[in-house]
Amino acid sequence: MARKRARTSQKSQSSAVMLPGELVVVTRREAAFRSSAGRFESASGQNVSDLANLLKRHGARMSPIFGATEERVMARMAAVREAAHAPMEDLSVFYRVDAPPERLPELRDRLAASELVDAAFVKPGTELPAINDMTAAPEEPPPASPDFSARQTYLDAAPGGVDARWAWTQSGGRGRDVRIFDVEGNWRFTHEDLTQNQGGVVGGSPLAGVDWTNHGTAVLGEFSGDVNSIGIVGISSDATVSAVSHGGIGSAAAINQAASRCRAGDIILLEMHRPGPRFNFASRTDQRGYIAVEWWPDDFAAIVNATSRGIIVVEAAGNGAENLDDALYQTAAAGFPSGWRNSFRRSNRDSGAIVVGAGAPPPGTHGRDWGPDRSRLDFSNWGALIDAQGWGREVTSCGYGDLQGGTSEDLWYTDTFSGTSSASPIVVGVIACAQGIAKARGSAVLTFTQIRNCLRSTGSPQQDAPGRPASQRIGNRPDLRAFIACALPKRKELVKEIAKEIAKEAVKEIKDTKEVKEIKEKETKELVKEVKEKDVKEFKEGKEVKETIKAEGKELKEKDKDKDLVEGKLIENKVAETLGGLQQLNTGAGGAGVGERLSALEQTVQQLVHFIGQELRPDLSRSALQGSSQAAKDDKDLKDSEKGSES
Amino acid sequence: MLVILCHPDDTSALWLDRQLSEAGVDVTLVSVEQLVFSRSITHALTSTADTGTIRLADGRVLHPEAIAGLINRVRFVPTQHFTNAATGDREYATAELHAFLLAWLNGVAGRVLNPARPLLLGGGINDMAAIRHYAALAGLPAPGWSRTTRRVDFDSPVSPTHDVIVLDGRGFGPIIPAELLGGCGRLAAYLGTPLLQIAFSRNAVGRWEFLHATAKVDFERGGRPLAAALARTVAA
Amino acid sequence: MILIAGISDETPVSQVIEALEGSGAEYRVFDQRGVAAVHMTLEIGDAAAGGALGGYLELDGETVPLCRITGLYLRTMDDRLLPEIVNAPVGAPQRLHARRLHELLLAWADLMPGRVLNRPTAMASNQSKPYQAQIIREVGFGIAETCITNDPDAARAFIARIWGEGGGVIYKSISGIRSIVQKVTKHDLDRLDRIRWCPTQFQRLVEGQDIRAHVIGRTVIATAIASAGVDYRYAARDTGTPAQLEAVTLEPATVARCVALSQRLELPLAGIDLRRTPDGEMVCFEVNPSPAFSFYQQGASQSIATCIAHYLAGDCD
């Protein structure tokens, strides 16, 4: 059902900006269906002839979405499953049915009735956002492109920008050793300002038409623009950027192909939206009702299989002016699998994606006013699942030609790239910078949980606009400086914070005389000083220190009944325990925000002790090694561990 | 009542629960986390029987002596609620909870699939040497296996073409030759897991190879026939 | 050939070595302290070979084919705690080597044909006392009335009922981690809230005569223990007087039940803790899969190690 948009000679030419719908089939896993490599069969012996006849009558062909054959899909999944820390969806049961578009609805109905089929649904075509209808200025550019980076005020400090310029002062802060994959229609990798760190198109068949290439090129420019004296500069220009087109293979396959090339911590950007149920999945020129792609089962499966392996997926919320919390989205579309649940409500199920909304830039940017800074733009979808906002207007980047035009597309620049399309690359750039800094510091890459937590707890908050209150959530605009402090706090700073809290707690806890209080404060200050001095050593040798302090505390407890000294040692115990726990947190295994760490610290004040105390549980693990005198032997034999097997 | 005991991320168990509910089976899904975080756990042993009561936080009450059957999907002992325990006590409590769960599962009156084992609460064996040995002993086409301390060897990634599920010797999922199915039943008996998923690969010239066996069965692979068979055997 | 695996100067191990030496049986010793110099290769045959076990152990300059080993006494400690290993960094070569060796050794011990005292998988039953109690009960022994609970009210009710009958209540570990058995006192009632976060085991105190029955194959060697404390293992600490040991002969029915229990648990070597009540009932508390028999051997002058050596050599059932 492709429609062609009429273009004047002044506007750029395009063959189609909307793709036909896709018929997606999910077979029942018990059927062990095979429709590839010349086969059409059920490995579990079920009758496939009805299905075969149905497809033949409609001139249709069914093929696996996520690989050439089902075995290749399963082999690929088996290879990556070890790295997954959440269950993965079985991608081998998803099929695309190729048939004349006018036959899709009837074919869907009949397929859904087959015993071998769990789900059959028509997915509307992925559409190019219509909001970017800029045309190239006719004047030829100067011999050398000017430096437009001063117009990229989204790079500046918060609250107006994301403070990318600060991130660039940090080691790794331009996204070093990070891979980004953009999933959309097409790009112009020959652009003059996209020459460094480019991986090119690595999947799909790029879609013809300057609208598609303009869009992709503008997206790339935001995070990947070269560092030079011309044009623009990308937020994370050291990251390697590649692209997968959904042309010819569909969005779900494109996402999966991008994921197959990602390591944990790398980023996939989904620059897609499509018509949702609001207007019965119909394409509209105003694109109202258009939503993020994870709502559809095959796209969700591809996304979750990526995020479960630690890959960061950034997803545009869509330009449909929709409330994604609406109960409308709880209802499955016709033909969805019986177990489908609405992922727009993360309590149902969670794709793991970072979802981005579009907010207004500071009024006066480029001489225009789109409403209060960081307010929701009228077209932007909103809802509880939106994790952050980016600029949805006035983004200066490559492509389109309205800022610098002429006949060569490789020299085009825009001043007005818009939409959740322009917002999402800003968040991608922020995350890429953060991952680069993490790697440079020798920390583990950030997980999507950490990223979401820090995007939500830091940054410049959303503001109200008339008719678009902040309760229509699009989240905060990231502030890289605060984001990094949240996601990757420096060890010394953390220890100082913790030591301060311990000191506070210590003083609070002591409910004694002034004399005792003074003693306590003295001891606590000494402890804080001690902690500050030992911070680096303790993190490296945390276990040792912890054990030493614990042993001392225990010993003292047994020897000395003096309450003050015991309490002082108890505090040291708590410090040691907390530092031990923090060491674990700081190795990146958990990586919770500072707020969470501090509340965990407060909770360590209350510790759980088993009814059967440690004094009743002799440590027999090394009893076999004890001395050889007869008396010792007898005593040892009595106490020897009559242990079970080693586990 | 049939109980499915699983972890919250066990999508396969969730699928089974849906299938059984739709078929009208009296089934209840309990997460292992809910069980260990229970408001009240009491398990009594006498010289004649086990009795007990577990009052879950959502109000449900479980009596092991009244459970007609249980699908056992326990993989580990949840210990999130031990976060604020002293280190020594945390390790001790983990061992104590593991020991309790083993006895509780063994005390369920009805059939438990798969029976819990001291080393693996979910049942079965996960030692590669043992699995290969028993598979070969069962007559399955298992290749030889060797490990030495003189060298570090890694298991190659496996790409199964056929994942078969056996329940009490009956096969579900892809059809495999009868002699292979017989071997699968024997392997399940050797491993003490009446419910077992066995992975095979079949190459281009039709040669079969045994790859692996696991007690953590993907129920959806066996589909509705497997769900129906489980309902019959476990809830009976 | 018999293989002994453990710490060679630990008394039970040294006694078995001494007994084997005295019997003239061919044996080798894998002392875990020398793990760095030991290598092992384990092979599992393919289907055509019926999964046959093969491989060898490189020990003290000798390469011993695993198929030559017909008996194994396995009393290993956790290799991660060996003095040579415990302080080594996480990825240190000696740590990895020790782990790999012990993994192969234990895997082979579970599968090898021949006489193994005891197979690792079988020994794991001791990790849960109530699980063992369920099996003990099946064999026909009495078990102590037990309440495992995280509910202070349920615990109080259990304790109150038994106290009301004039009995006593003890508490102890559910798992294989030993705890010193303690009697519940009024003071303990005040801290019962501590059980809320982890179920705890309470048991009716069974009065009577302690008996340790060592089962080796089909042979049962029983020792009676007299002590004033609740836990005779700590009698000296708790009462000032160590426990007194004496060899005893059990009635045939109890002997048969002990053998049946060891076979049911697949533990040809088992240290069974019994208590004969004043009514003559035999209550069984637990089955130790790796019994420290030397204490009983010395205390009651019983030849347990010799019996183990004979069993491993195939001289008796």
Side-chain angles (χ1 to χ4, degrees):
Chain A
M1 278 193 343
R3 282 187 307 166
K4 296 192 186 211
R5 265 173 47 173
R7 294 284 196 176
T8 67
S9 58
Q10 285 174 315
K11 286 186 174 248
S12 45
Q13 297 296 314
S14 140
S15 56
V17 295
M18 189 195 74
L19 298 173
E22 300 170 49
L23 174 51
V24 176
V25 165
V26 183
T27 55
R28 290 196 190 276
R29 297 179 70 211
E30 69 201 54
F33 195 66
R34 300 285 183 268
S35 176
S36 59
R39 302 168 297 181
F40 194 86
E41 64 193 29
S42 158
S44 60
Q46 299 193 34
N47 188 346
V48 302
S49 53
D50 287 348
L51 198 60
N53 292 336
L54 172 65
L55 292 169
K56 191 171 173 187
R57 275 201 309 276
H58 286 78
R61 213 172 44 93
M62 198 164 133
S63 50
I65 288 179
F66 293 108
T69 62
E70 291 83 353
E71 287 80 358
R72 287 191 168 82
V73 175
M74 290 190 286
R76 178 70 207 149
M77 285 176 58
V80 300
R81 188 169 275 123
E82 286 304 314
H85 31 81
M88 295 176 71
E89 298 235 355
D90 182 356
L91 301 183
S92 70
V93 296
F94 286 86
Y95 293 83
R96 182 178 63 246
V97 176
D98 295 311
E102 65 276 10
R103 301 207 171 197
L104 293 186
E106 190 198 339
L107 195 48
R108 187 218 76 79
D109 291 342
R110 294 194 187 281
L111 284 165
S114 166
E115 268 298 293
L116 296 171
V117 169
D118 185 28
F121 55 91
V122 175
K123 204 166 72 161
T126 302
E127 291 198 18
L128 192 64
I131 196 171
N132 293 297
D133 58 357
M134 301 81 84
T135 54
E139 300 81 16
E140 288 300 320
S145 294
D147 182 352
F148 294 124
S149 63
R151 304 184 70 78
Q152 295 176 274
T153 49
Y154 55 85
L155 303 174
D156 297 344
V162 298
D163 215 352
R165 300 187 194 282
W166 170 84
W168 299 342
T169 66
Q170 307 298 300
S171 180
R174 288 187 191 260
R176 187 170 0 121
D177 195 28
V178 178
R179 293 177 200 164
I180 303 172
F181 288 81
D182 182 25
V183 178
E184 52 178 295
N186 203 349
W187 310 258
R188 207 157 171 98
F189 277 98
T190 49
H191 194 282
E192 67 163 1
D193 216 4
L194 293 175
T195 65
Q196 296 161 16
N197 304 314
Q198 307 300 332
V201 180
V202 297
S205 303
L207 296 161
V210 69
D211 289 328
W212 291 106
T213 50
N214 268 333
H215 191 277
T217 307
V219 165
L220 293 191
E222 288 188 54
F223 47 73
S224 189
D226 296 344
V227 177
N228 51 29
S229 57
I230 60 149
I232 53 101
V233 61
I235 297 171
S236 53
S237 47
D238 283 350
T240 303
V241 174
S242 308
V244 179
S245 177
H246 52 73
I249 59 173
S251 54
I255 296 167
N256 195 51
Q257 283 196 17
S260 69
R261 293 166 177 269
C262 284
R263 310 152 301 179
D266 289 333
I267 304 162
I268 300 175
L269 169 59
L270 306 187
E271 283 281 340
M272 299 173 287
H273 67 175
R274 62 169 71 94
R278 175 70 61 199
F279 300 105
N280 203 26
F281 308 101
S283 179
R284 294 169 61 99
T285 49
D286 63 4
Q287 299 196 328
R288 280 187 56 214
Y290 283 36
I291 58 174
V293 297
E294 68 168 71
W295 195 74
W296 280 266
D298 55 333
D299 293 301
F300 179 91
I303 295 170
V304 84
N305 278 18
T307 58
S308 67
R309 286 157 42 209
I311 299 167
I312 308 302
V313 175
V314 177
E315 181 183 11
N319 298 343
E322 276 292 300
N323 174 10
L324 301 184
D325 292 335
D326 197 305
L328 169 72
Y329 297 105
Q330 291 281 86
T331 304
F336 272 13
S338 51
W340 176 89
R341 288 179 315 289
N342 170 25
S343 64
F344 287 170
R345 294 194 188 176
R346 287 178 176 160
S347 54
N348 289 335
R349 62 178 186 166
D350 187 353
S351 68
I354 311 292
V355 182
V356 181
T365 302
H366 304 157
R368 288 178 281 271
D369 183 349
W370 295 97
D373 186 27
R374 293 166 271 128
S375 59
R376 181 181 77 79
L377 288 164
D378 58 356
F379 57 80
S380 177
N381 291 343
W382 74 92
L385 91 161
I386 313 281
D387 296 299
Q389 62 168 282
W391 281 27
R393 289 284 187 190
E394 305 300 335
V395 171
T396 305
S397 187
C398 307
Y400 290 98
D402 51 287
L403 177 61
Q404 175 173 290
T407 48
S408 170
E409 293 174 39
D410 289 340
L411 307 179
W412 286 359
Y413 293 90
T414 177
D415 220 17
T416 55
F417 189 39
S418 304
T420 51
S421 299
S422 64
S424 303
I426 288 179
V427 176
V428 164
V430 163
I431 296 171
C433 291
Q435 299 289 43
I437 293 171
K439 291 189 179 198
R441 289 190 187 176
S443 295
V445 287
L446 304 176
T447 63
F448 75 79
T449 307
Q450 289 171 284
I451 291 168
R452 277 182 184 171
N453 287 346
C454 289
L455 285 173
R456 285 170 178 259
S457 62
T458 66
S460 312
Q462 180 181 353
Q463 309 223 70
D464 293 327
R468 304 193 297 278
S471 54
Q472 294 175 349
R473 181 189 164 83
I474 57 167
N476 302 338
R477 174 182 299 149
D479 170 2
L480 261 163
R481 198 188 297 246
F483 182 87
I484 293 297
C486 168
L488 298 166
K490 282 206 176 132
R491 289 169 178 174
K492 279 187 185 160
E493 283 160 10
L494 178 60
V495 171
K496 268 190 219 165
E497 275 182 77
I498 299 302
K500 266 194 222 154
E501 286 298 319
I502 292 169
K504 260 198 248 166
E505 284 292 340
V507 170
K508 248 199 297 180
E509 268 183 35
I510 313 300
K511 40 179 189 247
D512 285 301
T513 62
K514 182 178 174 228
E515 193 185 357
V516 172
K517 228 176 176 177
E518 277 170 16
I519 294 171
K520 280 327 337 118
E521 277 167 3
K522 181 168 175 252
E523 279 186 347
T524 311
K525 277 183 191 148
E526 279 167 7
L527 175 65
V528 170
K529 184 164 173 271
E530 192 182 282
V531 167
K532 279 183 191 170
E533 284 166 359
K534 283 204 283 188
D535 62 348
V536 172
K537 186 168 183 287
E538 277 175 347
F539 274 104
K540 284 187 184 153
E541 298 157 358
K543 185 182 172 227
E544 234 176 274
V545 169
K546 188 167 82 166
E547 283 175 357
T548 309
I549 291 175
K550 256 190 162 156
E552 285 169 5
K554 221 192 251 178
E555 201 184 333
L556 199 69
K557 205 165 162 178
E558 284 159 10
K559 275 196 221 162
D560 199 321
K561 301 292 184 224
D562 180 287
K563 184 167 177 259
D564 298 285
L565 286 167
V566 166
E567 283 178 340
K569 283 302 167 187
L570 281 174
I571 293 164
E572 283 185 4
N573 286 348
K574 279 177 205 152
V575 172
E577 292 256 18
T578 310
L579 286 173
L582 287 170
Q583 183 183 20
Q584 225 176 345
L585 285 171
N586 224 35
T587 55
V594 168
E596 288 178 50
R597 288 198 192 90
L598 291 178
S599 75
L601 164 67
E602 282 162 13
Q603 287 174 45
T604 64
V605 172
Q606 306 288 337
Q607 287 208 330
L608 300 173
V609 175
H610 200 279
F611 184 79
I612 302 178
Q614 211 149 22
E615 70 283 1
L616 291 175
R617 309 196 308 257
D619 182 2
L620 303 173
S621 57
R622 276 172 267 211
S623 60
L625 299 167
Q626 287 169 24
S628 57
S629 74
Q630 190 56 50
K633 265 190 190 170
D634 288 346
D635 190 52
K636 180 174 62 66
D637 287 343
L638 172 60
K639 291 187 174 127
D640 264 347
S641 166
E642 297 184 342
K643 52 191 184 297
S645 67
E646 297 168 55
S647 53
Chain B
M1 178 182 64
L2 169 60
V3 172
I4 298 177
L5 182 64
C6 64
H7 296 278
D9 64 352
D10 191 340
T11 49
S12 185
L14 294 173
W15 176 90
L16 180 66
D17 175 58
R18 234 179 3 255
Q19 295 301 310
L20 293 175
S21 301
E22 284 168 12
V25 175
D26 176 19
V27 59
T28 191
L29 191 83
V30 178
S31 77
V32 190
E33 285 72 7
Q34 281 176 308
L35 200 72
V36 305
F37 301 161
S38 291
R39 198 169 289 149
S40 169
I41 293 172
T42 307
H43 194 77
L45 288 90
T46 65
S47 285
T48 46
D50 283 20
T51 57
T53 307
I54 294 185
R55 290 182 204 285
L56 303 174
D58 60 11
R60 287 180 291 171
V61 180
L62 298 176
H63 302 287
E65 65 272 20
I67 295 174
L70 187 140
I71 303 290
N72 176 15
R73 302 281 286 180
V74 178
R75 294 196 315 269
F76 58 87
V77 175
T79 55
Q80 294 96 306
H81 56 315
F82 296 168
T83 308
N84 295 338
T87 311
D89 280 10
R90 191 159 55 234
E91 289 159 4
Y92 179 57
T94 304
E96 294 285 284
L97 205 47
H98 180 109
F100 162 70
L101 271 177
L102 176 61
W104 188 84
L105 284 165
N106 202 46
V108 165
R111 190 177 189 199
V112 177
L113 282 178
N114 283 303
R117 288 282 175 264
L119 290 176
L120 276 181
L121 286 174
I125 294 173
N126 62 2
D127 176 64
M128 185 57 82
I131 291 172
R132 286 295 181 96
H133 169 71
Y134 287 122
L137 209 57
L140 293 174
W145 181 91
S146 167
R147 284 294 180 275
T148 177
T149 53
R150 289 221 169 262
R151 192 176 64 240
V152 177
D153 292 315
F154 295 101
D155 290 321
S156 316
V158 296
S159 300
T161 57
H162 292 69
D163 272 296
V164 178
I165 296 168
V166 285
L167 171 63
D168 296 333
R170 186 180 153 201
F172 298 87
I175 292 175
I176 58 174
E179 63 271 19
L180 282 187
L181 188 59
C184 291
R186 286 188 290 274
L187 177 59
Y190 294 154
L191 298 181
T193 48
L195 179 63
L196 189 68
Q197 180 167 322
I198 298 124
F200 292 96
S201 79
R202 186 174 184 219
N203 66 13
V205 298
R207 201 177 127 261
W208 292 89
E209 182 175 305
F210 166 84
L211 296 178
H212 190 51
T214 175
K216 191 168 176 258
V217 163
D218 184 356
F219 297 111
E220 231 183 316
R221 286 193 186 277
R224 290 160 298 166
L226 176 61
L230 282 167
R232 278 193 304 273
T233 185
V234 182
Chain C
M1 182 195 295
I2 295 161
L3 177 68
I4 315 294
I7 304 296
S8 60
D9 66 358
E10 197 209 357
T11 314
V13 178
S14 65
Q15 287 181 343
V16 171
I17 293 173
E18 200 182 312
L20 283 169
E21 191 64 45
S23 74
E26 189 185 11
Y27 71 92
R28 300 287 186 274
V29 178
F30 163 47
D31 188 328
Q32 289 178 279
R33 299 297 301 269
V35 63
V38 178
H39 281 278
M40 182 168 177
T41 297
L42 177 63
E43 292 159 357
I44 308 288
D46 63 11
L53 294 174
Y56 40 89
L57 193 61
E58 296 169 62
L59 188 63
D60 299 326
E62 185 189 2
T63 299
V64 179
L66 295 178
C67 59
R68 276 202 65 206
I69 299 171
T70 56
L72 171 64
Y73 179 54
L74 189 69
R75 193 175 158 83
T76 50
M77 62 175 280
D78 187 340
D79 59 284
R80 292 167 290 203
L81 300 177
L82 288 167
E84 295 77 17
I85 305 293
V86 69
N87 294 316
V90 168
Q94 64 269 40
R95 185 185 283 279
L96 296 177
H97 169 79
R99 195 83 284 268
R100 274 201 293 273
L101 180 76
H102 284 81
E103 279 170 2
L104 288 180
L105 180 71
L106 298 177
W108 170 70
D110 254 338
L111 301 175
M112 65 165 275
R115 296 187 166 193
V116 181
L117 303 180
N118 278 314
R119 297 187 192 270
T121 302
M123 287 201 273
S125 71
N126 190 243
Q127 288 181 8
S128 169
K129 301 295 187 279
Y131 173 76
Q132 258 198 357
Q134 290 161 338
I135 297 170
I136 289 168
R137 184 177 59 199
E138 281 171 24
V139 166
F141 280 116
I143 62 170
E145 187 183 355
T146 301
C147 174
I148 299 170
T149 184
N150 69 348
D151 185 340
D153 289 339
R156 273 189 205 98
F158 179 78
I159 295 164
R161 176 169 60 80
I162 294 177
W163 281 359
E165 294 166 5
V169 179
I170 56 113
Y171 58 91
K172 63 182 189 181
S173 290
I174 306 171
S175 68
I177 298 177
R178 178 186 290 187
S179 73
I180 301 171
V181 180
Q182 297 290 292
K183 248 178 125 166
V184 175
T185 66
K186 281 197 167 56
H187 168 69
D188 292 320
L189 297 182
D190 296 335
R191 59 188 191 92
L192 271 177
D193 270 350
R194 287 200 185 166
I195 70 174
R196 284 192 189 278
W197 66 285
C198 186
T200 304
Q201 174 170 238
F202 300 90
Q203 257 183 12
R204 180 190 291 270
L205 175 62
V206 176
E207 303 283 5
Q209 161 87 77
D210 279 310
I211 295 171
R212 162 61 73 97
H214 284 98
V215 179
I216 309 101
R218 302 188 69 82
T219 305
V220 179
I221 301 175
T223 314
I225 305 110
S227 103
V230 176
D231 190 336
Y232 72 78
R233 301 173 299 187
Y234 299 93
R237 186 195 85 148
D238 293 341
T239 70
T241 307
Q244 303 301 310
L245 277 58
E246 184 187 25
V248 290
T249 304
L250 296 175
E251 51 279 5
T254 303
V255 168
R257 212 164 270 149
C258 286
V259 172
L261 180 55
S262 93
Q263 289 175 349
R264 174 71 173 77
L265 289 169
E266 296 180 42
L267 296 171
L269 172 63
I272 301 178
D273 286 335
L274 302 169
R275 196 167 280 173
R276 192 201 307 274
T277 69
D279 299 333
E281 187 193 2
M282 222 25 130
V283 174
C284 176
F285 293 103
E286 74 173 275
V287 181
N288 294 286
S290 186
F293 59 84
S294 46
F295 171 72
Y296 306 89
Q297 170 158 304
Q298 273 148 217
S301 303
Q302 293 172 300
S303 308
I304 300 170
T306 304
C307 196
I308 289 173
H310 281 308
Y311 177 82
L312 287 170
D315 296 340
C316 62
D317 287 334

